[in-house]
Every structure is written in structure tokens, then in C-alpha cells.
Amino acid sequence: LVCAAFVFILGILINTLYQVGEFQVIYPKNVRGCQRIEGYHGCEDFAYFANQDVYMSCDDRSWLRYHAIGQEDDMPTRIANQKEQGKLYLLPHDHYDQAKPVTIKGFTSSDFHPLGIASMEDKSGKWLFVTDNTREGEKVEIFRVLSDTEIELFSEFIFDYATFEPFQMLNDIIAIPDSGGAFYVTVWLVKEPGTLWNFIDVYLRRPVSYVLFCEPPSRDFLNRNTPKTAEEKRSVGWKCRKVVENLRMINGITRSADSKRIYMAETTGKTMNIYDRDSKTNELSLVKKVGTFSGCDNLEMADDGKTVYLGCHPKALTFQFHAAYPRHVVAPSRILKYVDNRADDDEMEVVMVSTGEILSGSSLGLMIADTLIVGSVHDDCYLLCPQKD
């Protein structure tokens, strides 16, 4: 019986390591021409406008150790103890190697820890939508773009317990043009990070995460003047509902230019999910799931309007060690692309692989102006990789 139990436990361990990709042999691909731009920590997500200006959200999240059990403090305390605040940067369309800090007007919160970022441009103006993990709770902040390097806080929506269960964490976001500011946001963790229950959710790949659709108080919500006080900026009257459930750590989300197709990455499910969006009801209908053979993080539609690029972790356990000890452990990166021709034979393609030396733990690949921009969850750089036809 002892021998049988040992074999059973060993089998479970080997299968788990196989499922998270630890037996994959990783070789570098298409990194020789990449330029490492250093000094920008945890630049995880990107968004861009029609003029090809790119904005990136950066924050040192290594101290959070999201999925490590036995944390000394709860999440609000850990956030409060973080001295460094997150930042937004502009990558100008003609100089992606020259990141410029973005000034935020009208922002008075004690915390700023941006994670997901989305751009939106319509008749009401140019906007950035940001998910922010703060000690007060989870927020979506809406910023009006005043100039290339200056934005202004227009509104913030705090997910209180009346509409949002305790300890659940927002990740990525997309905004729908001509909707008054409606958005979809992914909820990737449903238990407090650092607890045993979160550990179980993550490593048993439990289908507990979901996606919310949130509607503004009115369709002309973005057409009003920017509120003057912090109290006025705190929005009320939003209505949120779940539109997709039972997902395995849903993470990044992006959309087609016409907002009729929505793409999401299930990290522990190792799929990219494609949905058709009903423009009248905003309900999402699953078209198909495409295997990613990786734990993918964020994804972004390229400027060609049909190619999605994904930043992924080939070895999930190695990435978790890197996340806990980013200065001592490297983790491989994999960038995938998917050309959505709406055909049955559309396939996922590997476009870049790093063994971890040039960049660890890729979070996103963005193809724009013949340049692949690669972000990282915990590394102190981003990559610029020129692409040839």
C-alpha cells in the first residue's frame, strides 16, 4: 500500500509539472534583433491610438507575491506598505525607445497601481481606461487624454461589496466606443492573494474567474465636463453584470476595431477564447477556444485589425518562482500571434521566444508600425523587436 501511494502521488506530481509546461525544452527564437529598454519595471500592459502612440502601465508588483501562501499581511496592508507607486508612460509613435512619463491631473488617491490599460477614441474624445489595485479596493479609472503626456482623471468606479465580492481582483479592460464609457473587465482572482484558497484555485486550475460588463449611468456620460472634486469624480449609477463565467484564470482581453469580436486569454486554461458580441445586448457568444500551449497573460489586437498577439509563460511554475524572486530567478517568455481570418484552419503561431536572459515573464506582445513591443510582469525592461516582412 505504501508503494502504491508513493506511485500515485508521484504520478500526480509528474502530471502537474507536465500540465504547467515544466518539461518543455525552450530555445530562443527571433530575439537577436531585439533592443532591451531598461529602467521600466513591470510594464505589463499597453494600449495605442490611431496615430500609433502607445501608452504602457508599469508597477513593481513583485512584493505582492500573488500566489505564494503564508503572507504576513493581508492584501490592503501589503498595498499600503508599498512605497513606490505605479506609473503610466507614453511611447511616441516615432520613438518607441524614448518612454515619457505621463502627468495625471486631478488624481488625489494615496495609491496608484495600474494593471490593465485600454484606449478608446470616439466623438467624446480620447480616453484611457485603467484597472487599479488599491488598498481601498478594486477601481476602474477613466482618464481624459489632454495631450500626449498629460491626462486628467475624469471618473473612478470603485467595486464595493454591493456589486463585487470581497478580495476579487480586476485584471484587464476594454472600452466600447460610442457607448458613453461602457467596458468589459476581467476578474482573474476570486480569493485573497496569499491565502491557501487562492493557492488552491490557481494550482488546481479551478474555473472560478469571470468577466463583467459595466454600463455607465447614461450614454452621454463622457460628454459632460470633468468633475472638479474627488467626491464628484467617484461615479455612481454604474450597472455591472457577469457575461462570461467558469473561466480558468481569465486574464487579458482585447477587441476588434468594430468591437464585434472579443478575445480573451485563459491563463491556466491555456486557451484564447473568441466571442461574438451582440451590439444591442452586449452579450458574448463563444465562437471557439484556441489552444495556446502556454499560460498566456495579456493580448492585444495589432494595428492591422485582425492579428492578435499574446504574451505567454511557457513554464508556469518557473514563472511563479521568478515572480517571487525576480532578481534571482529567470523565466522564459513566448509571444504568440493569431490571424483571425474566421476560418477553421486559423492557427496559433510562435513568433518570439526568450529563455529569460533578455526578458523574463513576458506579459504582452504589441505589433505596431512594424515593431513588436514586448512587456514583462516583473522584469525591469521592455523590448523593441523590429519585424521584417
Side-chain angles (χ1 to χ4, degrees):
L1 289 177
V2 174
C3 183
F6 174 78
V7 172
F8 178 72
I9 294 172
L10 181 63
I12 291 176
L13 177 61
I14 292 174
N15 180 66
T16 300
L17 292 174
Y18 173 78
Q19 291 294 332
V20 299
E22 291 303 312
F23 297 133
Q24 293 187 62
V25 179
I26 305 297
Y27 297 102
K29 179 178 180 178
N30 294 338
V31 294
R32 187 181 297 271
C34 294
Q35 180 183 5
R36 179 180 164 100
I37 311 299
E38 298 184 343
Y40 302 93
H41 200 113
C43 294
E44 178 163 329
D45 203 10
F46 301 92
Y48 66 93
F49 287 101
N51 66 353
Q52 297 186 332
D53 279 349
V54 176
Y55 289 82
M56 65 181 184
S57 64
C58 306
D59 191 26
D60 180 0
R61 303 175 192 87
S62 58
W63 52 276
L64 284 173
R65 298 186 181 180
Y66 285 117
H67 312 308
I69 59 175
Q71 299 291 332
E72 294 181 0
D73 301 308
D74 60 18
M75 180 60 69
T77 303
R78 278 181 275 164
I79 293 175
N81 290 339
Q82 171 69 343
K83 296 179 180 179
E84 293 293 329
Q85 300 299 309
K87 297 180 177 66
L88 301 182
Y89 291 93
L90 165 74
L91 307 183
H93 62 271
D94 51 349
H95 294 290
Y96 290 139
D97 61 335
Q98 298 178 17
K100 298 180 180 180
V102 174
T103 301
I104 304 177
K105 293 180 59 178
F107 189 85
T108 59
S109 175
S110 301
D111 299 317
F112 186 53
H113 297 290
L115 187 56
I117 183 172
S119 58
M120 195 271 285
E121 187 171 5
D122 61 14
K123 295 177 181 178
S124 65
K126 295 174 68 173
W127 306 89
L128 290 174
F129 287 63
V130 175
T131 60
D132 189 359
N133 310 135
T134 76
R135 75 186 80 176
E136 293 181 275
E138 299 298 289
K139 294 182 183 180
V140 166
E141 293 151 344
I142 304 175
F143 299 97
R144 188 193 299 272
V145 178
L146 303 178
S147 68
D148 291 347
T149 57
E150 186 177 47
I151 60 178
E152 182 176 24
L153 178 63
F154 177 82
S155 179
E156 64 177 13
F157 177 30
I158 300 178
F159 286 76
D160 58 27
Y161 294 163
T163 57
F164 196 65
E165 298 174 34
F167 307 126
Q168 311 207 2
M169 296 191 70
L170 307 179
N171 194 299
D172 202 9
I173 187 169
I174 55 169
I176 305 300
D178 301 312
S179 67
F183 60 82
Y184 294 87
V185 63
T186 62
V187 179
W188 69 306
L189 300 180
V190 300
K191 301 295 182 183
E192 184 176 10
T195 64
L196 175 62
W197 298 115
N198 177 71
F199 182 86
I200 290 173
D201 282 350
V202 172
Y203 290 99
L204 294 186
R205 303 167 61 238
R206 297 186 66 229
V208 294
S209 60
Y210 56 91
V211 179
L212 291 173
F213 173 73
C214 297
E215 296 179 273
S218 65
R219 290 188 65 86
D220 61 352
F221 178 71
L222 297 181
N223 292 323
R224 61 177 182 157
N225 293 327
T226 302
K228 299 299 182 182
T229 67
E231 185 68 26
E232 293 172 329
K233 292 177 188 288
R234 292 202 167 186
S235 297
V236 294
W238 285 79
K239 296 180 180 179
C240 296
R241 67 179 189 272
K242 294 179 181 179
V243 289
V244 187
E245 299 183 73
N246 303 317
L247 300 168
R248 288 182 167 87
M249 193 187 281
I250 196 65
N251 204 314
I253 184 170
T254 190
R255 61 177 174 85
S256 60
D258 60 8
S259 302
K260 292 182 178 180
R261 278 221 161 177
I262 307 296
Y263 307 81
M264 307 177 197
E266 274 192 89
T267 302
T268 57
K270 295 199 285 189
T271 63
M272 181 186 74
N273 304 347
I274 304 175
Y275 299 85
D276 280 336
R277 171 178 168 267
D278 187 315
S279 59
K280 294 181 180 180
T281 66
N282 294 295
E283 295 297 321
L284 303 180
S285 301
L286 181 64
V287 176
K288 62 179 174 180
K289 294 191 174 188
V290 183
T292 59
F293 44 89
S294 313
C296 292
D297 200 315
N298 288 311
L299 69 173
E300 189 68 47
M301 178 65 70
D303 55 359
D304 69 356
K306 68 175 184 178
T307 306
V308 180
Y309 284 79
L310 305 89
C312 307
H313 312 300
K315 298 186 176 186
L317 185 59
T318 299
F319 172 74
Q320 292 304 326
F321 280 112
H322 164 70
Y325 308 101
R327 292 176 177 82
H328 305 287
V329 179
V330 299
S333 301
R334 179 181 283 153
I335 303 299
L336 306 178
K337 80 171 182 179
Y338 180 86
V339 182
D340 189 3
N341 291 313
R342 308 198 177 196
D344 292 338
D345 58 353
D346 291 343
E347 294 183 350
M348 198 68 71
E349 178 184 347
V350 179
V351 295
M352 196 202 83
V353 179
S354 164
T355 55
E357 283 75 16
I358 189 170
L359 180 138
S360 282
S362 58
S363 61
L364 178 66
L366 168 62
M367 174 62 74
I368 189 165
D370 297 323
T371 300
L372 178 64
I373 307 176
V374 181
S376 172
V377 181
H378 296 295
D379 218 335
D380 62 348
C381 69
Y382 64 94
L383 299 184
L384 297 179
C385 306
Q387 301 296 296
K388 298 179 180 179
D389 293 336

